[in-house]
Amino acid sequence: FSLNLADCNAVLKALQPIFQEQGMTETVHNWEDHGYLVTYIKKNGSFANLRIHPHGLVLVDLQSYNDHMKGREEVDQLLNKVEERMKELFHGNIKRVKRLPAILRGGVIDRYWPTADGRLVEYDIDEVVYDEDSPFQNIKILHSKQFGNILILSGDVNLAESDLAYTQAIMGSGKEDYTGKEVLILGGGDGGILCEIVKLKPKMVTMVASNIDQMVIDGCKKHMRKTCGDVLDNLKGECYQVLIEDCIPVLKRYAKEGRMFDYVINDLTAVPISTSPEEDSTWEFLRLILDLSMKVLKQDGKYFTQGNCINLTDALTLYEEQLSRLYCPVEFSKETVCVPSYMELWVFYTIWKKQTDI
Amino acid sequence: FSLNLADCNAVLKALQPIFQEQGMTETVHNWEDHGYLVTYIKKNGSFANLRIHPHGLVLVDLQSYNDHMKGREEVDQLLNKVEERMKELFHGNIKRVKRLPAILRGGVIDRYWPTADGRLVEYDIDEVVYDEDSPFQNIKILHSKQFGNILILSGDVNLAESDLAYTQAIMGSGKEDYTGKEVLILGGGDGGILCEIVKLKPKMVTMVASNIDQMVIDGCKKHMRKTCGDVLDNLKGECYQVLIEDCIPVLKRYAKEGRMFDYVINDLTAVPISTSPEEDSTWEFLRLILDLSMKVLKQDGKYFTQGNCINLTDALTLYEEQLSRLYCPVEFSKETVCVPSYMELWVFYTIWKKQTDI
């Protein structure tokens, strides 16, 4: 609905007493053609903005330091009064009333980790478990009541202890038989994939994690044990080894040696999300890894990787275009998976060499 | 880190020009012991709050009407300048910088549907498909890019077309054989359970949906077809019937007639989340349904229901206490499931009559 100037003023007059009762002092700005902004200031450092738009939108924002439960009750009471007064004024003829949960900023615990598609989501974080800067990135492990510990790399939610679904998806969703197989993992510093595959009696799993991953490994082996078990405690086990090296030279060496794998699983954290083809270097890096991986992949082998969130369709399309530009023809399938801590659906790829007719 | 009064003033002086360059007029409030609130007002109706706390927290809030992409770029540039200036002022010695996605309020599309445990989450809603008030509740069906259509009852996310995981969980997670079985569904107005069970060749499925569900059924049969298929198009099929009646009298009638079921699935929307035992009426209603359901459940039958989000532990505990207060002894198990559109883990219950030794 829309208000005229007199209505705007009536809203202001109706709501004023509610804020004044709180001992707040008022500053009114009148745009005439854009309505009012009224700022109410309290002695204790908290304040409120009342924004009255002439087309009928009325916004109330309250900001205070130290939001105790008592403070929240007071806020609720104040907003109840605002709602009541507005309903009286417009005889119940109000199209929509919406109250959003308080946003908590500046505390030790940061609960807001936006999704890959840029949406605001609040996590039930109650503890900072690990927070370190490596020369490459910031590494946080935060505790969520429902997801367990969550690994967050440079602000991106990477994996939580609840996210077996991620590990299963990037291993082929339970449709593969790893028994006696040669497996190469690129990245995977959280240890989730390694931990799950060694349970399946492979011949040998080689995980290549670079310096970038070293501090991730250090943090995860201590704080993400539901994900990695004890597999990161040693860099070598009965059927696995972890190499701390850049994957490019390792892949080149293997290709030269003719060493071949049944499965290559790319779990490197650096996923290009750029959708401008000019920023080509990330895509080139990605194609280099793909090309080298195909060189060490057996003819009937499979390459698994995560793609992106389902809503970043342009980035997914660009990724798929790269697949047609490899040295050998490949085919691929994709699957959309719900990873609990992601708060968005995620796309995983399976890539294999196109079988030529004999 | 913490600022003293001189620092607060230095922050203000450093940031002032950034806002003034935008043609914004300034109003400064100085609390002395609580720092500054500076309000910057632009001619076009937008404004900014700059809140400088003496313990070192600096908050910048920008509010504008009609947030076009162009507006967002401007906002980003302004915030870049703020960040830069702050880093200069404190020689890079800033503990944390965080920018949250814009909150969109007052538009046709509302993207914020808080979780059951009260967290703020933004959905990728791009269309209002259905929005009606019944005498009992508000019924919305909103389109999400990733989840498909989402049914929202009185502000609570109920089910999305992506949420087969919900339906599977409340049917026993694929571990039950419904072939030739007698099934009773209480509620389930979205048609998801009915649709999945009729595929499994049951003897007869009876779904009891009350008046409360009538408009839910109307909306879902039109807009949630990925969930309900064509099962709601007719109230009667080869192996199912839908009764539009309150479930209490129906259950009483069945109990009197001695009609028994292999499975009772309670998918009524009214779940008590009250944790104060004084508000007993909802719990009493819930116990009444449970008692009547047990009366029509075969000795080896199973009762399935959804519980609550995993974080509302008090509500879950209270629910479990009710189970020990039924007319007959029961046992239960529970399972935590990730329902894609919920953005929180959800607990489902299986309840059965305690088998007495013969």
Side-chain angles (χ1 to χ4, degrees), chain A residues 31 42 45 49 51 55 61 63 65 96 98 103 105 107 110 112 119-120 122 124 146 311 345, chain B residues 31 42 45 49 51 55 61 63 65 96 98 105 107 110 112 119-120 122 124 146 311 345:
Chain A
W31 273 279
K42 218 170 171 170
N49 279 324
R51 180 75 179 89
H55 67 281
D61 291 278
Q63 196 178 113
Y65 185 64
R96 200 197 306 164
K98 181 91 173 193
I103 295 179
R105 294 182 291 182
D110 184 350
Y112 306 92
R119 286 175 294 111
L120 178 62
E122 178 184 355
D124 55 346
Q146 64 187 311
N311 277 350
L345 299 177
Chain B
W31 273 279
K42 217 170 172 171
N49 279 324
R51 180 75 179 91
H55 68 280
D61 292 278
Q63 196 178 111
Y65 184 63
R96 200 197 306 164
K98 182 89 174 194
R105 294 181 291 182
D110 184 350
Y112 306 92
R119 286 175 295 111
L120 178 62
E122 178 184 355
D124 55 347
Q146 64 188 310
N311 277 350
L345 299 177

Side-chain angles (χ1 to χ4, degrees), chain A residues 211-264:
Chain A
N211 288 333
I212 300 178
D213 301 294
Q214 184 61 63
M215 277 179 68
V216 176
I217 292 178
D218 293 343
C220 289
K221 80 175 165 192
K222 201 161 167 195
H223 303 294
M224 299 277 289
R225 293 193 75 89
K226 263 188 207 155
T227 297
C228 64
D230 58 7
V231 90
L232 296 177
D233 294 352
N234 299 297
L235 295 182
K236 231 175 146 54
E238 224 173 278
C239 60
Y240 74 90
Q241 57 174 335
V242 179
L243 308 179
I244 306 290
E245 279 185 73
D246 266 7
C247 70
I248 304 273
V250 175
L251 282 167
K252 283 184 175 165
R253 197 165 73 228
Y254 286 167
K256 209 175 161 190
E257 290 169 1
R259 182 145 175 220
M260 303 295 272
F261 296 88
D262 297 288
Y263 296 103
V264 177

